Amino acid sequence: MSENDNLQDADGKIELNTTETPQTPEESKVAEASTSEEIKESIETTETTPESTIETEGTTVETIDVSEAVKEDTTETSEDVTVETEVVSEEAKDIATEEVSEPVIETSDKAESHVEEIDEANAEDAEDETNAERHEVESKDYHAMTMEQLVDELEALIKDQKIQTIKSQVDEIKSEFHSKFGELLEEKKEEFLSEGGNVIDFYFTTPVKKRFNDAFKSYRNSLNAYYKALESNLKQNLENRLTIIEEIKGLINVEENINTTYKHFKDLQEQWRNAGPIPRDRYNNAWNSYHHHVEVFYDFLHLNRDLRDMDFKHNLDKKTKIIERAEELAADDNINRSFRELQVLHKLWKEELGPVGREHREEVWERFSNATKTIHDKRQAYYADLDKAHEVNLVKKEDIISKIEDIAQDQPKSHQAWQNKIKAIETLRQDFFNAGKVPIKVNDATWTKFKTAVRNFNRSKNTFYKSLKKDQFDNLHKKQELIKLAEENKDSDDFDKTTSLMKKIQSDWKSIGHVPRKDSDKIWKQFKKACNHYFDRMHEERNAASKEEMAAFEEKSTLLETVKAIELSGKPEKDIETIKTQINAWKAIGHIPSNKRFIDGKFNKVIDGLFGKLDMDKAKLEMMKFENKLETLSNPNDTRLLDNEQNYIRKKITEIKGEINQLENNMQFFSNVDESNPLVRDVIKNINNHKDSLQTWENKLRKVKSMY
């Protein structure tokens, strides 16, 4: 027969609701101090029970109470009062066998969920005696935390808590982190694809993701090392406990002094208490088997009822204390603290104490079970209220999702409008995370609905910015062309012509619009550098020339006064020569500041006055004055003034031709009138005058053309 033959079949695992309000370390310590340590201390002070001996001869069984002997001489050893048992009677064996066939079980035969919940929790703790400390680890609202905060929490748990006590917290942190990072990853992937990227080339990570991976890897390695060491220990402890059960089973068949057998039994019980943790899936079966055989041994002790009754009384007293404490806990409003302390009470009931007399078994168990049920029901009600709160949170989150969907439906046309929507969505995202937990059954569906709503908004946003980026790339190309043009002309010495070009380039730059942000600063600095280079050169040269120009202005001012004082001799040729000399002197002076050029008009007016005093043909005088004017307009680097003058002359020629044609048409009405008619003579005179004027303007036009 193997060592497991006497174990009962394993019960089905009961799934527990492990979500609970965090219990402070102080509450946990008070709870355990008021139960486990207090009751254990009481047990230790009453461990010593009177030993008895039996003597069996033939079919007679005599029970000997040695308590009086112990009282008379406390220094007498157990061997001094022990009568050796040489033969165990057949009757005694029959009685023992009969008792074994119907083992006493203190718990009810029917399934009690409130007891099973406690047993399952204790079975979980039994795998590692330090696991009970995990209930002191605070579970926070990880759903409302950012990825950075989640990693901070994970690193703090690994550093400050025992690795085997933080599984639920780590699992929740992992789930929340992956959800948040997954959402960010999808958003970045869509942006990458919207910019023309290939899905096989996409890769994205962040420093916080690396921190999380490192922290979780550290947790996993530490946990694996812990459980590897624990597994070996659990296996050995289980073997030790099964060996103890086998030894207890064999006590009823040992033919030895009952006193020695009882001491052996108490030693086995102590070994059992110190045997250490065992696998959780074997916990209940091992304990049930142990208690079964302990009860069989106590029933075997009916051969020495005083000894057995003393143990029964001891167990009854301690179980009564446990019941009273459980009933106090049933009235406590701190649900989680009561449940944790109740676990300790059940562990003491099961692991530290043996059975009570048959007449009390049903009664004490019923009281203990009722107190347990009260706490169980209050705990279930607490979680029911928690579920209601989660339902309220669900309504809040559904409303937030609806608002996100409404915002996603609108498609603004401007960058600023999209920025406002992005801020609104971010606020709603934070509200969603801060709204609290929802019922587990709809958690995944709610999260999926939220992600879908946000993803739809992001897709619309990306579509807008994709088209915006296309325009920005076009603008970038246009501005790069302007930069090229500015750099090609930045070293030009033709300041009059290039300045207008550079100003036009700057004006075009302002009208083009935005470029991609990553290129904005770079191209602006490049463009600004080229423009500043040109205008700095221009200003530097003009500042150098300004002194010379002012000196030229002063010289022209002096010459103007000299010309005004000229008195003509009356001889045309000599006077013309005098006038031309002054004109040439004026031209030789050079450039003056642009804001002082009004002096040229004054000089021309004085010269025209001098020409008007000459006694000579008016047509010649007109051409002389015009030639003088052309000298002032002539500039080899800038023909705009000559162009304007040429256009003016052409316009005058056209007007004069039109007037001549009109007068000649009018003459047709005088076909029967003699030319001696005054009216006809005036018309003919006007025609001749216009023809003379036309000749003069045509000469001017030829003169202008010769200046190019």
Side-chain angles (χ1 to χ4, degrees):
M1 179 181 294
S2 68
E3 62 184 7
N4 297 326
D5 288 344
N6 288 287
L7 297 180
Q8 299 176 6
D9 293 336
D11 296 332
K13 180 178 180 181
I14 305 298
E15 293 294 336
L16 300 180
N17 187 345
T18 58
T19 304
E20 55 190 49
T21 304
Q23 182 182 17
T24 65
E26 289 76 9
E27 289 176 337
S28 178
K29 290 176 181 177
V30 170
E32 293 190 12
S34 62
T35 55
S36 178
E37 297 302 326
E38 177 184 336
I39 296 175
K40 285 182 179 179
E41 183 177 352
S42 299
I43 293 172
E44 290 171 0
T45 59
T46 57
E47 277 297 324
T48 304
T49 58
E51 295 183 346
S52 302
T53 60
I54 63 172
E55 181 179 355
T56 308
E57 185 175 4
T59 59
T60 302
V61 178
E62 181 179 356
T63 302
I64 303 174
D65 189 346
V66 299
S67 59
E68 294 300 326
V70 174
K71 289 178 182 178
E72 292 175 1
D73 187 1
T74 57
T75 62
E76 184 178 12
T77 63
S78 59
E79 287 77 1
D80 295 330
V81 295
T82 300
V83 179
E84 293 293 336
T85 304
E86 297 179 355
V87 180
V88 179
S89 70
E90 294 298 327
E91 181 180 354
K93 290 183 179 180
D94 291 340
I95 293 173
T97 304
E98 179 182 352
E99 294 292 342
V100 172
S101 64
E102 295 182 6
V104 177
I105 305 297
E106 285 195 22
T107 57
S108 172
D109 290 337
K110 62 184 178 180
E112 295 174 311
S113 61
H114 56 286
V115 177
E116 291 177 353
E117 182 180 26
I118 294 291
D119 286 345
E120 182 62 26
N122 280 333
E124 184 178 355
D125 289 348
E127 194 168 76
D128 182 358
E129 292 173 344
T130 64
N131 256 354
E133 297 178 14
R134 75 188 187 283
H135 302 295
E136 297 179 14
V137 179
E138 182 181 4
S139 291
K140 301 180 180 180
D141 187 5
Y142 300 119
H143 189 63
M145 294 183 180
T146 63
M147 288 189 290
E148 288 77 8
Q149 291 171 331
L150 288 171
V151 176
D152 290 342
E153 285 294 323
L154 178 58
E155 291 173 340
L157 285 172
I158 295 171
K159 178 182 177 182
D160 300 334
Q161 304 294 340
K162 291 186 177 180
I163 203 70
Q164 71 274 21
T165 67
I166 58 175
K167 182 179 185 303
S168 61
Q169 287 81 4
V170 172
D171 286 346
E172 191 171 354
I173 289 174
K174 177 184 175 183
S175 176
E176 292 296 341
F177 184 89
H178 282 168
S179 295
K180 289 179 171 60
F181 185 77
E183 180 187 3
L184 176 63
L185 189 66
E186 289 181 6
E187 182 178 343
K188 295 298 181 182
K189 184 176 181 180
E190 288 184 3
E191 290 180 2
F192 175 77
L193 296 178
S194 69
E195 294 177 359
N198 192 316
V199 66
I200 62 174
D201 298 325
F202 176 74
Y203 174 78
F204 176 78
T205 189
T206 62
V208 72
K209 180 62 165 64
K210 185 178 185 304
R211 280 181 59 203
F212 174 82
N213 290 343
D214 291 343
F216 189 78
K217 181 179 180 181
S218 174
Y219 163 76
R220 187 175 54 195
N221 291 342
S222 298
L223 191 64
N224 288 340
Y226 165 78
Y227 279 117
K228 184 176 181 180
L230 180 62
E231 181 180 5
S232 175
N233 188 42
L234 294 177
K235 183 177 180 181
Q236 183 59 51
N237 292 342
L238 177 61
E239 292 178 359
N240 294 341
R241 287 185 183 272
L242 295 178
T243 300
I244 293 171
I245 292 173
E246 289 298 317
E247 290 191 42
I248 292 175
K249 285 168 57 179
L251 289 179
I252 62 173
N253 297 319
V254 175
E255 297 180 356
E256 64 179 3
N257 182 292
I258 194 64
N259 213 22
T260 302
T261 302
Y262 185 74
K263 286 177 65 177
H264 188 189
F265 169 73
K266 300 303 288 185
D267 179 61
L268 290 173
Q269 281 191 309
E270 185 63 24
Q271 291 180 40
W272 179 271
R273 295 189 187 100
N274 299 325
I278 61 175
R280 58 192 293 185
D281 60 339
R282 307 295 296 273
Y283 173 80
N284 283 322
N285 282 344
W287 277 103
N288 288 337
S289 180
Y290 169 74
H291 280 294
H292 166 69
H293 292 292
V294 167
E295 289 168 358
V296 169
F297 179 78
Y298 274 109
D299 289 335
F300 170 71
L301 284 184
H302 78 284
L303 300 175
N304 191 332
R305 296 186 183 279
D306 289 340
L307 187 63
R308 182 182 65 174
D309 291 344
M310 287 296 293
D311 233 8
F312 281 171
K313 184 179 184 303
H314 163 78
N315 294 334
L316 179 61
D317 290 342
K318 300 310 168 189
K319 286 189 174 182
T320 300
K321 287 185 179 181
I322 289 176
I323 292 169
E324 290 171 352
R325 180 54 185 163
E327 290 171 343
E328 290 176 4
L329 293 175
D332 193 344
D333 291 332
N334 191 322
I335 305 301
N336 292 295
R337 181 178 64 194
S338 298
F339 181 76
R340 284 300 161 202
E341 190 170 338
L342 184 64
Q343 276 187 261
V344 177
L345 295 178
H346 272 265
K347 188 172 182 179
L348 293 175
W349 183 287
K350 191 170 189 177
E351 300 182 12
E352 301 291 346
L353 300 175
V356 300
R358 284 181 178 275
E359 68 277 13
H360 300 295
R361 290 178 183 174
E362 188 68 29
E363 176 189 354
V364 295
W365 175 251
E366 191 67 25
R367 281 184 65 188
F368 191 38
S369 178
N370 289 339
T372 299
K373 187 175 187 305
T374 300
I375 296 174
H376 168 82
D377 292 344
K378 289 173 70 175
R379 190 164 182 261
Q380 294 301 311
Y382 165 79
Y383 285 119
D385 291 340
L386 201 59
D387 287 341
K388 291 179 182 178
H390 291 170
E391 289 289 349
V392 174
N393 295 341
L394 176 62
V395 174
K396 293 179 182 178
K397 289 194 171 183
E398 290 284 359
D399 181 59
I400 292 171
I401 293 172
S402 178
K403 290 179 180 178
I404 293 175
E405 291 173 339
D406 291 341
I407 292 176
Q409 289 179 354
D410 185 24
Q411 304 291 321
K413 302 299 182 183
S414 70
H415 166 71
Q416 186 58 48
W418 274 104
Q419 289 301 305
N420 293 337
K421 284 184 173 291
I422 290 171
K423 292 179 181 178
I425 291 294
E426 183 58 30
T427 299
L428 290 173
R429 288 180 75 256
Q430 290 303 317
D431 292 343
F432 182 88
F433 293 135
N434 295 333
K437 296 182 178 180
V438 300
I440 295 177
K441 62 183 179 181
V442 297
N443 183 61
D444 289 344
T446 305
W447 176 247
T448 299
K449 189 175 181 182
F450 168 73
K451 287 198 299 182
T452 300
V454 174
R455 187 183 299 114
N456 289 339
F457 170 80
N458 287 334
R459 285 175 177 169
S460 299
K461 176 196 69 177
N462 293 339
T463 299
F464 169 78
Y465 281 105
K466 182 179 180 180
S467 63
L468 189 63
K469 285 179 180 179
K470 183 180 182 301
D471 294 339
Q472 289 179 344
F473 279 117
D474 291 341
N475 294 339
L476 175 62
H477 178 71
K478 293 177 182 178
K479 288 192 173 184
Q480 287 172 335
E481 290 295 321
L482 291 180
I483 291 173
K484 181 180 178 182
L485 187 59
E487 289 180 338
E488 288 174 350
N489 289 275
K490 68 180 182 178
D491 293 316
S492 172
D493 294 326
D494 186 358
F495 294 111
D496 292 335
K497 181 177 181 181
T498 307
T499 298
S500 60
L501 174 64
M502 295 297 283
K503 288 182 178 180
K504 183 177 184 303
I505 291 173
Q506 290 179 327
S507 177
D508 292 345
W509 181 280
K510 293 179 180 178
S511 65
I512 287 176
H514 294 289
V515 300
R517 181 176 298 180
K518 65 179 181 179
D519 300 304
S520 180
D521 288 344
K522 178 182 176 181
I523 64 171
W524 167 246
K525 290 178 181 178
Q526 193 175 358
F527 178 70
K528 183 179 178 181
K529 181 179 178 181
C531 292
N532 287 348
H533 177 81
Y534 169 77
F535 284 105
D536 288 344
R537 286 181 59 254
M538 182 192 74
H539 292 149
E540 183 179 353
E541 185 165 327
R542 286 185 175 180
N543 289 336
S546 61
K547 293 181 179 180
E548 295 179 4
E549 290 178 349
M550 285 301 298
F553 174 73
E554 295 296 333
E555 189 175 349
K556 281 191 174 183
S557 297
T558 302
L559 181 59
L560 178 62
E561 296 301 322
T562 301
V563 174
K564 286 181 179 180
I566 291 177
E567 294 290 339
L568 297 179
S569 63
K571 298 178 180 180
E573 293 183 359
K574 183 179 179 180
D575 291 336
I576 290 174
E577 187 66 26
T578 299
I579 294 174
K580 286 185 176 181
T581 299
Q582 299 303 321
I583 291 174
N584 291 333
W586 184 271
K587 290 176 60 178
I589 292 175
H591 293 291
I592 61 175
S594 58
N595 60 344
K596 304 292 185 181
R597 287 180 182 175
F598 62 87
I599 199 171
D600 288 335
K602 290 183 178 182
F603 176 77
N604 289 332
K605 186 175 181 180
V606 173
I607 293 297
D608 287 346
L610 292 175
F611 275 121
K613 293 179 181 181
L614 295 176
D615 184 14
M616 57 184 303
D617 183 68
K618 292 184 177 180
K620 290 183 178 180
L621 285 173
E622 182 68 19
M623 285 303 298
M624 291 178 66
K625 289 192 290 185
F626 182 70
E627 288 175 358
N628 176 60
K629 180 180 180 181
L630 288 182
E631 291 294 333
T632 61
L633 296 179
S634 177
N635 187 339
N637 297 322
D638 188 358
T639 61
R640 285 178 297 175
L641 293 177
L642 286 177
D643 293 340
N644 292 337
E645 186 67 20
Q646 183 178 189
N647 291 334
Y648 174 75
I649 293 172
R650 290 181 183 279
K651 183 179 180 182
K652 291 296 294 183
I653 290 173
T654 301
E655 290 176 355
I656 293 171
K657 285 181 177 180
E659 291 177 359
I660 291 174
N661 288 334
Q662 182 64 42
L663 290 172
E664 289 178 344
N665 289 334
N666 291 340
M667 284 293 294
Q668 294 179 3
F669 295 104
F670 301 105
S671 58
N672 298 324
V673 180
D674 191 273
E675 292 185 1
S676 61
N677 187 295
L679 182 61
V680 174
R681 284 201 304 269
D682 288 340
V683 173
I684 293 173
K685 183 179 178 179
N686 285 335
I687 290 174
N688 292 331
N689 289 337
H690 279 86
K691 288 182 177 180
D692 292 339
S693 178
L694 177 62
Q695 182 65 39
T696 300
W697 284 107
E698 288 177 342
N699 290 335
K700 287 182 177 181
L701 181 60
R702 284 192 290 272
K703 188 65 177 178
V704 170
K705 288 181 178 180
S706 68
M707 299 297 293
Y708 285 94

